[in-house]
Amino acid sequence: MNSPVRLAAAQISTELEPQPSKSSAGPTALKSLSSKVDYRRKKSNSTFYLRLIAFLVVVGGFAWIGRDYLSPKARKSEIIIAKVLRAQLPIVVTDRGELESAENIIGRCEVEGERVKIVKIVPEGSLVKKGQPVVWLDSEPFQKDFAKQEILWKQAEGKAKAAKGDLEVSINKGETDIDAKDLAWKLAKLDLHKYVEGDLKVEVDDKNGAIELSRKELREAEDNLIHIRVMVAKGLKQMDELRQTELQVQSKKFSLSSNENKLMVLEKFDKERKVTELQAKARDAERDLERTKKSSAASIEKAKSDLEASESTMKLEKATLDRIEEQLKKTVMNAPGDGIMVYFRTPWGDDTRIQAGAQLFPQQQIFTLPDLTKMQVKMKVHESVVKKIKPGLSASITIDAIPNVILEGKVKTVATLAQSQGWRNASVKEYDTIIEIPKLPENIGLKPGMSSEVKISIQTLKDVLIVPVQSVSERDSKHYAFVMHGQDIEQREVKVGESNEKHIQILEGLSENETVTQDARIRLTEVIKKAEDEKKNVGGSNSPLEKKDETPKKEEAPKAETPPVEAPKTPAATPAPVAAPASK
């Protein structure tokens, strides 16, 4: 465009251009040098003024050109409109996600106690096989603990063996003592029974026999005495023989009396004394047996307690030794399966990054071995649309690294609890949603962590009125559209339904084939601002949204309408639904 401003700038630039020198030929060297310096100074000054003028001209040109675009008339000539159409409205939730393996084998630090240091680890991305060592942890502290604990275990084992020997000795000694006391008790009972049923009867019989014999001998001696007396009286025997016979009779009487007295002493005194003595011995033997049994049992129980305590101590020491040994074995971590080594990362920075020298706490995740043949997408769904998503809904997945391939997926799970975005966005609540990929193409080259776009098909509304989402704006929980009537523009309250990123459903307020503007938010903002200005100037209290008669209704219609927005013909997946644009 050859505007007057540009022609003037060109003319000024031509006039300021330095002219050739007209000095006479044959100047001296000094005059020539002075002329060159003056020429350069003049040329530098001319260039500075030329640039300044050019800058001012450019700024003025932009201001002249922008005057047309910033004027209300120009804006009115570029109103974008659309038709109210009756068509299908696919409801789709679109969001970003990240690929991950559906089956991850997680490697955790199984070493207990305080933090342990990583000495060596297989590089990330390496292919590993099941059973292959992949992580080496610091084992020196566990080796020292193992040596100390082994000594304690051997000491406890020795005490347990000694306690077992003491128990065997106590049992043996107890059995021997009990047998001896039991024998003594049995013998005491036998002695009592023997005396009552045997010895006593024998003695009684002996005494009775001696008495009977003494009586018989006494009768014989008395008969012999009578005979001797007859014989002496007849003179056949001597007196000496008679006296001897009388002495014999006296002796037999004494013997009979002595035997009878012995029997009486036996039956009245010796029998009772002997029975009492034997009964006491039997009772003492029985009590001694009971004492021995109890003493032996107590000794055995003590020995058993000592043995159990020693064995328990030994088991505890052994369990501690085994645990330390197990921890020592766990300082070398083997791959639990085949896969690619992927380090675990935390959002807290490099201090917790998995590397040689890093400190680990118990059960900290170190690495994962993802199964690349089974992949899924993990996405976060905002709380405003999560109620629409149910397990089983179909989804289409586009991988950023492979944009020409669309994968078919299905909603697997939707988290019950929301995940907060941290203290910076504590008010934002999102729900983890897993999209499974049932049929994964072979050799497609998917890797965990790849970014993707997921479109979840919620439903398709058929035969509904729709307009572009830019044609509806919200204010105080009410929705408004601006309808074209020739050269007039009418603000109208509408009732909306479902929506996606492009279109929104109209339930009430608009009719098919009506024309609406696509700058509802800007127009509603202007209406509100104008009403606020009038309220300040006039002191009115009614909002233009409450009384439509007070709103501006006439504006210049566009000279050339833009083609109306075509309604989608098929329920293809479209971007995620958004709420009607609000302008408060």
Side-chain angles (χ1 to χ4, degrees):
M1 180 178 72
N2 295 326
S3 64
V5 176
R6 291 188 178 181
L7 292 175
Q11 184 177 0
I12 294 172
S13 174
T14 304
E15 292 176 354
L16 293 177
E17 189 174 89
Q19 302 297 324
S21 175
K22 297 182 179 180
S23 60
S24 60
T28 62
L30 182 60
K31 289 183 178 181
S32 177
L33 179 62
S34 176
S35 298
K36 289 181 180 180
V37 171
D38 292 340
Y39 173 75
R40 289 177 181 177
R41 185 180 295 109
K42 292 179 180 180
K43 183 179 181 180
S44 176
N45 293 335
S46 299
T47 303
F48 170 75
Y49 289 115
L50 178 63
R51 291 178 179 176
L52 178 61
I53 294 172
F55 173 75
L56 295 175
V57 170
V58 171
V59 172
F62 276 113
W64 179 268
I65 295 171
R67 177 178 60 83
D68 296 335
Y69 288 97
L70 297 176
S71 64
K73 182 176 180 180
R75 188 180 65 79
K76 291 179 182 178
S77 64
E78 297 179 0
I79 298 175
I80 301 175
I81 60 175
K83 290 288 187 180
V84 180
L85 301 177
R86 185 173 295 277
Q88 294 182 352
L89 180 62
I91 307 302
V92 178
V93 174
T94 303
D95 213 324
R96 304 289 297 174
E98 186 175 286
L99 271 177
E100 64 179 18
S101 175
E103 294 183 1
N104 289 311
I105 303 177
I106 300 176
R108 298 182 182 275
C109 175
E110 297 182 357
V111 177
E112 300 174 356
E114 299 179 356
R115 290 177 175 265
V116 62
K117 182 175 67 176
I118 297 178
V119 177
K120 182 181 177 183
I121 186 169
V122 171
E124 189 173 18
S126 303
L127 290 173
V128 297
K129 298 293 183 180
K130 184 177 181 180
Q132 174 185 344
V134 292
V135 181
W136 290 263
L137 304 177
D138 187 11
S139 61
E140 183 178 356
F142 297 98
Q143 291 177 353
K144 293 181 179 179
D145 293 341
F146 181 81
K148 295 178 181 178
Q149 188 60 36
E150 190 175 17
I151 295 173
L152 296 176
W153 171 68
K154 289 183 177 180
Q155 292 176 348
E157 186 180 24
K159 291 181 179 179
K161 290 180 178 179
K164 185 177 181 181
D166 293 341
L167 175 60
E168 292 176 355
V169 170
S170 298
I171 293 174
N172 194 333
K173 184 176 180 300
E175 291 176 350
T176 301
D177 293 343
I178 290 172
D179 290 341
K181 299 301 181 181
D182 185 62
L183 177 61
W185 179 54
K186 290 179 179 179
L187 291 178
K189 292 192 297 182
L190 288 175
D191 288 342
L192 176 60
H193 185 68
K194 173 188 174 185
Y195 176 74
V196 174
E197 299 297 332
D199 293 346
L200 180 59
K201 289 183 179 182
V202 171
E203 290 184 8
V204 171
D205 290 342
D206 289 342
K207 299 300 181 183
N208 288 329
I211 291 172
E212 290 298 328
L213 181 60
S214 297
R215 287 177 180 175
K216 183 179 179 181
E217 290 178 350
L218 178 58
R219 284 195 299 270
E220 289 179 355
E222 288 178 347
D223 290 343
N224 189 29
L225 179 58
I226 294 172
H227 176 69
I228 293 298
R229 284 180 177 174
V230 171
M231 293 299 290
V232 170
K234 290 181 177 183
L236 296 176
K237 296 290 183 180
Q238 297 293 326
M239 290 297 296
D240 294 335
E241 190 174 356
L242 177 61
R243 284 194 293 270
Q244 290 179 358
T245 302
E246 290 177 351
L247 289 173
Q248 289 179 355
V249 171
Q250 292 295 329
S251 176
K252 297 301 179 184
K253 287 182 179 179
F254 178 76
S255 177
L256 175 62
S257 176
S258 176
N259 289 331
E260 288 177 350
N261 290 332
K262 289 180 179 179
L263 178 61
M264 181 269 299
V265 171
L266 176 62
E267 290 180 345
K268 285 187 177 182
F269 303 105
D270 291 344
K271 173 185 175 181
E272 184 178 358
R273 180 180 180 277
K274 191 67 174 180
V275 169
T276 302
E277 180 182 359
L278 293 175
Q279 288 177 346
K281 288 183 178 181
R283 287 193 299 269
D284 288 343
E286 183 179 11
R287 286 192 292 266
D288 198 9
L289 174 62
E290 293 298 327
R291 284 194 301 270
T292 303
K293 286 181 178 180
K294 292 180 180 180
S295 176
S296 178
S299 299
I300 293 173
E301 288 299 325
K302 182 177 182 302
K304 285 183 178 180
S305 299
D306 294 341
L307 177 61
E308 290 176 357
S310 300
E311 288 180 344
S312 298
T313 304
M314 181 187 68
K315 289 179 180 178
L316 289 175
E317 300 294 349
K318 179 62 175 174
T320 305
L321 181 66
D322 293 341
R323 183 176 59 81
I324 296 176
E325 185 178 10
E326 187 68 21
Q327 295 297 306
L328 186 60
K329 292 179 181 178
K330 290 179 179 179
T331 54
V332 178
M333 299 181 61
N334 299 325
D338 300 341
I340 298 177
M341 190 74 169
V342 178
Y343 293 172
F344 175 73
R345 288 177 173 82
T346 60
W348 303 299
D350 294 339
D351 294 340
T352 57
R353 186 161 59 92
I354 300 300
Q355 59 183 347
Q359 298 289 333
L360 304 176
F361 54 83
Q363 296 303 315
Q364 178 178 346
Q365 183 174 339
I366 304 175
F367 62 87
T368 57
L369 300 178
D371 186 356
L372 301 184
T373 62
K374 299 177 182 179
M375 303 295 287
Q376 64 185 19
V377 178
K378 183 177 182 180
M379 58 185 295
K380 295 182 181 296
V381 178
H382 194 267
E383 60 182 339
S384 62
V385 296
V386 71
K387 62 181 179 180
K388 299 180 181 180
I389 300 177
K390 307 293 182 184
L393 292 177
S394 60
S396 61
I397 304 168
T398 302
I399 309 301
D400 292 355
I402 317 173
N404 58 337
V405 177
I406 298 179
L407 302 176
E408 295 182 358
K410 186 191 300 182
V411 178
K412 183 179 180 181
T413 59
V414 180
T416 304
L417 301 177
Q419 299 292 328
S420 177
Q421 297 298 312
W423 61 271
R424 294 183 179 179
N425 297 316
S427 60
V428 179
K429 297 295 187 299
E430 294 180 326
Y431 293 79
D432 289 342
T433 302
I434 302 299
I435 310 299
E436 62 179 353
I437 308 175
K439 296 180 181 180
L440 188 66
E442 296 183 359
N443 302 323
I444 193 173
L446 298 182
K447 303 291 183 183
M450 285 185 171
S451 299
S452 61
E453 183 182 61
V454 182
K455 297 180 179 180
I456 303 175
S457 299
I458 306 300
Q459 60 178 332
T460 299
L461 302 178
K462 298 181 180 180
D463 195 25
V464 296
L465 293 178
I466 61 173
V467 295
V469 294
Q470 298 89 345
S471 299
V472 178
S473 184
E474 181 185 5
R475 175 71 176 183
D476 296 333
S477 300
K478 294 182 180 181
H479 296 82
Y480 300 91
F482 291 84
V483 185
M484 300 286 296
H485 295 290
Q487 296 182 351
D488 297 336
I489 298 179
E490 174 193 356
Q491 176 189 335
R492 188 182 299 176
E493 183 179 351
V494 295
K495 185 177 180 182
V496 299
E498 298 290 343
S499 65
N500 57 26
E501 279 192 344
K502 294 183 178 180
H503 297 89
I504 184 169
Q505 179 188 7
I506 301 298
L507 299 177
E508 295 178 3
L510 295 177
S511 301
E512 187 177 359
N513 293 325
E514 282 190 309
T515 303
V516 294
T517 66
Q518 294 194 45
D519 55 355
R521 178 177 296 183
I522 297 175
R523 291 183 179 277
L524 186 62
T525 302
E526 291 177 352
V527 170
I528 295 171
K529 183 177 180 181
K530 183 177 180 180
E532 290 177 351
D533 294 340
E534 292 178 355
K535 183 178 179 180
K536 291 179 181 178
N537 296 331
V538 181
S541 59
N542 293 329
S543 170
L545 303 182
E546 298 176 358
K547 289 189 176 182
K548 298 182 181 178
D549 295 339
E550 298 178 6
T551 60
K553 294 185 178 180
K554 291 187 178 181
E555 294 185 6
E556 293 184 6
K559 296 180 181 179
E561 291 185 355
T562 59
V565 179
E566 296 183 359
K569 297 180 180 180
T570 60
T574 59
V578 297
S583 178
K584 298 186 179 180

